[in-house]
Amino acid sequence: MDGVPRVPEQRRPAPGNTPEVEQTSQFSVLGPVRAWLGAEQLSMGSPQQRALLAALLMRDGRTATASELIDALWGDEPPSQALAAVRTYASRLRKVLPPGVLVSESGGYAVVVADGALDLTLAEDLWAEAEKARGVADLCQARTLVNKALSLWDGEPLANVPGPYAETQRARLEEWRLQLLESRLDMDLEVGCHAESVSELTALTAAHPLRERLRELLMLALYRSGRQAEALAVYADTRRLLADELGVDPRPGLKELQQRILQADPALAEPSAAAPEPAAAVVRPAQLPATVPDFTGRASFVSELSEILSSAEGRVMAVSALAGIGGVGKTTLAVHVAHVTRTHFPDGQLYVDLQGAGARAAEPETVLGAFLRALGTADSAIPDSLEERSALYRSVLDGRRVLVVLDNARDAAQVRPLLPGMEGCAALVTSRIRMVDLAGAHLVDLDVMSPEEALLLFTRIVGEERVQSERKAALDVVAACGFLPLAIRIAASRLAARRTWTVSTLAAKLADERRRLDELQAGDLAVKATFELGYGQLEPAQARAFRLLGLADGPDLSLAAAAAVLDLPVEETEDLLESLVDTSLVESAAPGRYRYHDLVRLYARACAERDEQPPSERDAAMSRLLDFYLASAARVYAIERPGDRTVDHLEVTEHVGQDFSDDAKALDWLHSEAACILACVQQSLGEKTLRRAVDLLLASKDLAESGASSLRYELATSAARDAAAAVGDAHAEGRARVTLAQVLSKVGHFDSASAELDRASELGEKSGDPWTCGNAPNEQGITAYCVNNHGASESYLLKAIEEFRSDANRAGEASALCNLSRVLVTMGRTSTAIDLARQGMAIYDDLGLTFRLANAKCALAIALNHVGRHSEALDQLTDALQMFMENRQRLWEGTTHFRIAQVHLSARHSAQAAQHAEQALSIGCVGGDWMRANVLTLLGRSLNNLGQLDRARACWQEALAIHEGSEAPEADEVRRLLAPIAAA
């Protein structure tokens, strides 16, 4: 069994070497670092003092030298008086702790702790006992012991303890806690508690979405609870998330479990000793973020909001809307109140950041999809439209008591579809605007902190010892921060990290800088004053980096992209960025990636407008970023599509782009940079950069074809088309329209795609662009085929073949040949169709185009199936499926499952046809709703053959509704299938 916990390394003193100490002394590190003498909690002093105690406690009695302690507290940059500081901290601790606990040995220090007096040691002992119990099959006792170990955690380990050693140990202890949880949940499933585990696993996977072991346990728990569809939906969700976030596929164990569930493997059934399987449990989401450990003040607001939310029972719905400026603490207060009142909502708590302060707020339908999945709704049961999702959401919540926290909302229109609307439920909304148009909402205007609350927050971060001696200066600091929580937290954190600064030093700096901001609004004044303090301390190179990098619209920046913006070597750029991270002006989102808080980004842009000289350098920086993305995406395109002439027709860039060592890393880069690439496109639609922005869309078309970023890609392409039309650039407009038509076709909007392509053809002839002249008729042939206009489709594709050949574009020629093959099959010219598909395959194979070779194999399989050569067709489709999976083309993967289902149905293998049709529905297909209706029609045929008439009728009725809604000609076929059932 994997997921076995690994206990952090520790060594105990040899037996008999433990000195006599006060037995009532107790210590904790699995939360804040604390000490007790009997029932009395001892004051451990400043953060650095607690860091020293933590470093000694974690050594479990071993002596730490002064050098080791200096490294633990300050790492590579200790203060000049570090040794003296360590001795001072040790002396102060010795005065607080009982005699004999903190001892000096061999030029160092050690803390002697009695057995069972440190929570970490106790947790280790409990885990060791649990392992023994599990080894003798006493799972009940093992689970109890692990639960006892987990109960010793009290929030974040080593909370608020500074220093590199504490940071490392914090990560190790959190990882160990998760491993303990996984082990206990694994035992829960072994004893048959699968239904009970679903709720906890749902919350854990929401908190740790990339932890695949938790996803695996959730799938197994759902499957054993009789919820196979939901178990498979977990896999699909995981696969999409890993592709979106990391650009990787699930690990083999997760893939294997998915296949075993699809096959209903008997070995997955619950253990024989398990209790009888109960009815499927209702999923109880627990999505609230952790509350901050140093939450301060706001007592009246906490009481007011808690009373309103707690009164939701018996009312239609309780809604409270928090409004206030950025940084005033809306999210912190909302999350804290949600935790306080969560016991009144036993059926779960939902949370979402609506990103209303950003340029691209979350779409309500996307949020509803996530909420419905969190509430236990299978992907296949979630409708597409906003209205249907909102109605289903209210139905799912009927009879439940759920709290919904809608954080960072843009406006009331974004919020309304997300309100539960049911008795017993409540919603807590935060926004920068007052939602006076949100009917029935209790409005709360959150102002800055009172001076007393602000001082208390500052003291908790900096340490009571430093503040007590300079109370007036501390009051000056919080006043200079405008009593704004975000500003106070940033200023206090800077002071806590600088032992040589006094509180008076910080107060003087803030007082000097605020004079620049007299004309700014009071709320923003405080935040900007704090940022101005950090900005004023930067070296010129750091300040330039801070200003220019803040201009990019993407959610974050990679190190390579940042280097392009700054026009500096990567090594120098990394040094600058890491120094900015140290100042808290920039965050390290992940190794090699950096981001701004939204308020800091606005401030950085204001600085760029004010300070960047010459002003043209701002445009030049964004032009370099566009060049970097275009050159890098072109490299990915060339790797994925060797021989494709598209890269030869792209605009020339000055930047060479990212270098990739292999195909997988190239594709990883493209998907990990999706949001940044599309943001760059939309930011680069000015006349001087427009053509490069459009070409970036061409080079990154995998983002649309994979399905993961299709909507964002479509929005960026629509914006590019409009921008090109506005300035009369026929070259850019033609390319943008073809690219947009490709996206529209893939979601089944064939009429709209056709209109775009008609205009693109005119623009291609006008501009003489060979790329548009070849690709426009090729796409026109596809759209005409999809609406059963086969004669026109053939004409378009023959023209496309001619244009591609004149451009020496062999990859384009192969694409048109394969598309023509599909058309000729429908027209009954199967022999020619097979020949054309093989010609396309030969070209792709010669070019090394594995992804496009998969398309050719699908075309050949369609023709082979038409003449009854089912085994050969399945061989081609199996190869194609593997190729699409390797290239992360999710929609094409789903489409291939549909093609496989077609072959199985033709071969009278109805069960296999139904299985692959279900997989196509689960994954999704190229062609959107139109293709979904086709899959449902095929699934109905398969089920009808299997005698499942009611399910077949349901499939056909849904397919008919889709086709009638789009006036698709396939509706006639579905009506014929339904006629005998209606007449029966």
Side-chain angles (χ1 to χ4, degrees):
M1 194 70 66
D2 59 357
V4 176
R6 298 182 298 277
V7 180
E9 295 181 9
Q10 294 202 1
R11 289 190 297 172
R12 303 181 184 279
N17 290 346
T18 304
E20 289 291 324
V21 297
E22 191 69 38
Q23 293 301 307
T24 53
S25 298
Q26 299 287 328
F27 299 88
S28 73
V29 292
L30 299 179
V33 176
R34 292 173 292 191
W36 292 266
L37 184 59
E40 178 189 3
Q41 183 174 339
L42 305 177
S43 175
M44 292 295 99
S46 68
Q48 277 73 19
Q49 204 163 297
R50 295 196 303 275
L52 178 68
L53 178 60
L56 294 172
L57 287 171
M58 295 296 291
R59 297 178 75 84
D60 201 20
R62 290 180 293 128
T63 300
T65 66
S67 175
E68 289 173 331
L69 291 172
I70 290 172
D71 286 341
L73 268 63
W74 295 288
D76 295 332
E77 298 181 0
S80 59
Q81 300 298 317
L83 181 58
V86 167
R87 291 171 177 166
T88 299
Y89 299 151
S91 175
R92 291 172 180 170
L93 286 172
R94 190 179 283 116
K95 292 176 182 177
V96 176
L97 296 172
V101 174
L102 180 57
V103 297
S104 300
E105 292 182 357
S106 305
Y109 300 93
V111 168
V112 181
V113 181
D115 289 341
L118 176 64
D119 56 0
L120 175 57
T121 303
L122 185 55
E124 293 171 7
D125 292 339
L126 288 166
W127 167 243
E129 292 179 34
E131 280 191 306
K132 293 178 183 177
R134 191 172 187 179
V136 295
D138 188 354
L139 293 179
C140 182
Q141 175 67 0
R143 292 168 66 218
T144 300
L145 291 168
V146 175
N147 276 326
K148 284 184 179 179
L150 288 167
S151 70
L152 295 173
W153 263 262
D154 184 19
E156 182 184 56
L158 306 175
N160 297 320
V161 174
Y165 179 82
E167 186 64 32
T168 300
Q169 293 301 318
R170 217 174 351 254
R172 292 177 64 192
L173 290 172
E174 175 59 17
E175 173 63 20
W176 186 41
R177 185 186 72 85
L178 289 173
Q179 290 173 358
L180 286 173
L181 271 171
E182 289 170 347
S183 180
R184 196 262 297 155
L185 286 162
D186 190 43
M187 290 187 280
D188 288 350
L189 299 186
E190 285 189 59
V191 300
C193 296
H194 36 263
E196 297 88 337
S197 300
V198 169
S199 178
E200 184 176 6
L201 281 163
T202 299
L204 285 169
T205 52
H208 307 280
L210 299 178
R211 201 171 182 93
E212 293 183 65
R213 177 59 178 157
L214 290 174
R215 298 271 185 166
E216 186 175 355
L217 290 169
L218 177 57
M219 289 175 65
L220 187 56
L222 286 168
Y223 179 73
R224 288 182 177 174
S225 300
R227 298 157 69 177
Q228 179 183 8
E230 289 186 56
L232 292 172
V234 170
Y235 178 82
D237 192 31
T238 304
R239 189 172 183 275
R240 285 193 297 271
L241 179 68
L242 291 173
D244 286 350
E245 298 293 329
L246 304 177
V248 300
D249 289 325
R251 62 187 177 86
L254 208 60
K255 294 180 181 179
E256 180 183 355
L257 178 58
Q258 183 226 18
Q259 290 302 313
R260 293 176 69 189
I261 290 174
L262 287 170
Q263 297 161 8
D265 186 348
L268 286 180
E270 62 185 282
S272 57
E277 181 177 324
V282 175
V283 176
R284 293 178 175 84
Q287 298 183 341
L288 296 178
T291 188
V292 294
D294 52 13
F295 182 84
T296 303
R298 308 295 199 188
S300 62
F301 288 111
V302 172
S303 176
E304 176 185 354
L305 291 168
S306 298
E307 182 179 351
I308 292 170
L309 296 179
S310 301
S311 68
E313 186 175 2
R315 295 174 54 186
V316 173
M317 175 179 57
V319 180
S320 292
L322 277 168
I325 61 171
V328 80
K330 300 182 295 295
T331 298
T332 301
L333 176 59
V335 170
H336 182 76
V337 170
H339 277 282
V340 169
T341 60
R342 65 180 298 176
T343 56
H344 295 279
F345 303 95
D347 295 315
Q349 306 86 39
L350 297 168
Y351 173 88
V352 65
D353 179 1
L354 294 172
Q355 303 174 36
R360 297 172 183 83
E363 295 294 335
E365 53 263 50
T366 303
V367 175
L368 284 171
F371 278 178
L372 286 168
R373 280 188 286 272
L375 291 165
T377 307
D379 276 355
S380 57
I382 298 176
D384 290 331
S385 73
L386 173 61
E387 294 75 19
E388 289 176 312
R389 288 188 177 190
S390 187
L392 178 60
Y393 173 62
R394 293 190 295 272
S395 298
V396 170
L397 289 178
D398 188 24
R400 301 193 195 186
R401 293 169 61 190
V402 173
L403 173 63
V404 182
V405 180
L406 305 173
D407 191 22
N408 195 13
R410 177 185 57 203
D411 50 32
Q414 185 189 27
V415 166
R416 288 191 192 99
L418 308 178
L419 296 177
M422 311 306 298
E423 178 179 334
C425 293
L428 185 55
V429 185
T430 74
S431 176
R432 295 190 182 186
I433 65 171
R434 296 189 80 244
M435 295 199 172
V436 293
D437 52 346
L438 192 60
H442 173 74
L443 302 180
V444 176
D445 292 322
L446 191 60
D447 202 350
V448 295
M449 286 180 146
S450 68
E452 295 77 16
E453 290 174 336
L455 182 61
L456 182 57
L457 175 60
F458 183 81
T459 302
R460 287 181 172 177
I461 298 171
V462 173
E464 186 174 354
E465 188 176 70
R466 294 178 76 181
V467 174
Q468 275 184 341
S469 61
E470 296 185 271
R471 181 177 174 83
K472 184 180 183 303
L475 286 170
D476 291 340
V477 168
V478 296
C481 290
F483 307 109
L484 196 71
L486 175 61
I488 295 166
R489 189 174 293 278
I490 294 173
S493 298
R494 289 176 56 80
L495 183 59
R498 289 164 172 77
R499 299 303 304 172
T500 58
W501 281 18
T502 64
V503 181
S504 298
T505 302
L506 178 62
K509 290 179 179 294
L510 282 172
D512 290 339
E513 301 299 332
R514 275 174 55 86
R515 287 194 295 269
R516 301 180 185 177
L517 305 171
D518 291 340
E519 295 184 10
L520 296 179
Q521 294 181 3
D524 285 340
L525 176 64
V527 178
K528 290 187 177 181
T530 304
F531 297 155
E532 191 76 26
L533 170 64
Y535 179 65
Q537 298 297 312
L538 299 179
E539 297 294 331
Q542 292 174 313
R544 174 178 178 268
F546 174 71
R547 293 191 301 267
L548 294 182
L549 295 177
L551 297 172
D553 274 348
D556 61 6
L557 273 176
S558 69
L559 179 58
V565 172
L566 300 177
D567 197 21
L568 293 173
V570 170
E571 295 78 8
E572 187 175 343
T573 301
E574 183 174 23
D575 290 341
L576 285 171
L577 282 165
E578 289 298 328
S579 69
L580 290 173
V581 170
D582 292 339
T583 68
S584 299
L585 289 173
V586 172
E587 301 173 21
S588 179
R593 301 199 72 86
Y594 302 87
R595 67 186 176 203
Y596 288 77
H597 182 280
D598 56 353
L599 294 176
V600 181
R601 185 196 301 272
L602 292 175
Y603 174 74
R605 291 179 175 181
C607 290
E609 292 180 8
R610 181 188 67 192
D611 301 338
E612 196 60 46
Q613 298 297 330
S616 60
E617 175 58 12
R618 299 198 298 271
D619 292 337
M622 290 300 93
S623 179
R624 291 192 294 268
L625 181 63
L626 176 60
D627 262 11
F628 167 77
Y629 283 134
L630 176 55
S632 301
R635 285 190 170 209
V636 178
Y637 193 100
I639 290 171
E640 290 295 304
R641 299 168 175 82
D644 191 320
R645 288 267 293 153
T646 294
V647 293
D648 299 323
H649 294 306
L650 300 178
E651 291 288 305
V652 177
T653 63
E654 295 183 7
H655 199 288
V656 296
Q658 185 100 351
D659 190 20
F660 305 107
S661 56
D662 56 55
D663 294 13
K665 289 183 178 179
L667 209 53
D668 286 346
W669 178 87
L670 183 68
H671 287 282
S672 67
E673 295 286 352
C676 297
I677 287 172
L678 297 177
C680 183
V681 168
Q682 293 199 307
Q683 198 175 4
S684 306
L685 298 180
E687 191 168 359
K688 292 182 179 179
T689 55
L690 176 59
R691 290 194 177 187
R692 280 182 290 156
V694 171
D695 282 357
L696 178 53
L697 289 168
L698 269 60
S700 59
K701 65 181 295 185
D702 276 348
L703 298 179
E705 296 192 346
S706 70
S709 306
S710 299
L711 179 58
R712 287 180 297 180
Y713 187 93
E714 179 182 348
L715 293 173
T717 309
S718 297
R721 173 204 59 191
D722 294 344
V727 299
D729 189 333
H731 174 94
E733 184 183 351
R735 293 188 174 196
R737 288 186 181 275
V738 172
T739 306
L740 179 58
Q742 291 171 337
V743 178
L744 294 171
S745 292
K746 286 175 175 59
V747 295
H749 299 164
F750 301 117
D751 289 342
S752 298
S754 181
E756 296 292 342
L757 291 166
D758 289 345
R759 178 59 178 150
S761 292
E762 298 172 2
L763 293 165
E765 292 180 6
K766 178 180 178 180
S767 66
D769 178 18
W771 188 91
T772 300
C773 289
N775 281 278
N778 192 31
E779 294 297 327
Q780 285 175 305
I782 295 172
T783 55
Y785 167 78
C786 291
V787 296
N788 292 338
N789 191 351
H790 301 133
S793 178
E794 181 182 12
S795 298
Y796 283 131
L797 291 170
L798 288 171
K799 180 181 179 182
I801 292 170
E802 180 183 346
E803 292 287 348
F804 284 133
R805 285 174 175 168
S806 67
D807 187 38
N809 190 340
R810 298 187 65 210
E813 176 189 351
S815 172
L817 288 170
C818 292
N819 291 330
L820 183 57
S821 170
R822 294 167 58 193
V823 175
L824 296 185
V825 168
T826 309
M827 299 173 73
R829 293 151 61 184
T830 311
S831 178
T832 305
I834 292 175
D835 289 341
L836 290 176
R838 292 193 186 281
Q839 288 178 41
M841 283 180 60
I843 293 174
Y844 283 139
D845 197 32
D846 185 48
L847 295 173
L849 270 164
T850 55
F851 168 32
R852 291 305 173 196
L853 179 60
N855 289 115
K857 284 179 173 288
C858 287
L860 178 58
I862 292 170
L864 292 172
N865 183 51
H866 196 74
V867 294
R869 294 160 66 175
H870 303 133
S871 178
E872 294 176 67
L874 286 174
D875 288 343
Q876 296 295 333
L877 289 170
T878 301
D879 290 345
L881 182 61
Q882 184 63 34
M883 292 175 180
F884 285 132
M885 291 174 67
E886 290 174 354
N887 285 274
R888 302 172 209 171
Q889 296 297 320
R890 187 173 63 88
L891 296 180
W892 283 112
E893 182 184 336
T895 303
T896 307
H897 277 294
F898 169 65
R899 299 300 181 193
I900 293 173
Q902 285 182 312
V903 177
H904 279 303
L905 188 62
S906 297
R908 302 179 185 273
H909 302 153
S910 297
Q912 292 94 321
Q915 179 183 357
H916 283 280
E918 289 283 9
Q919 286 184 277
L921 288 174
S922 175
I923 296 172
C925 299
V926 173
D929 286 344
W930 172 76
M931 182 58 92
R932 177 178 174 81
N934 291 338
V935 177
L936 285 166
T937 303
L938 185 147
L939 178 58
R941 289 179 182 273
S942 304
L943 295 171
N944 189 57
N945 292 346
L946 294 169
Q948 299 181 33
L949 304 183
D950 288 340
R951 284 191 64 198
R953 176 171 53 193
C955 289
W956 289 334
Q957 287 173 337
E958 184 181 347
L960 181 61
I962 295 172
H963 282 320
E964 286 182 338
S966 61
E967 299 181 355
E970 288 82 0
D972 291 337
E973 177 194 358
V974 182
R975 292 191 192 98
R976 287 194 295 270
L977 291 169
L978 284 167
I981 298 178

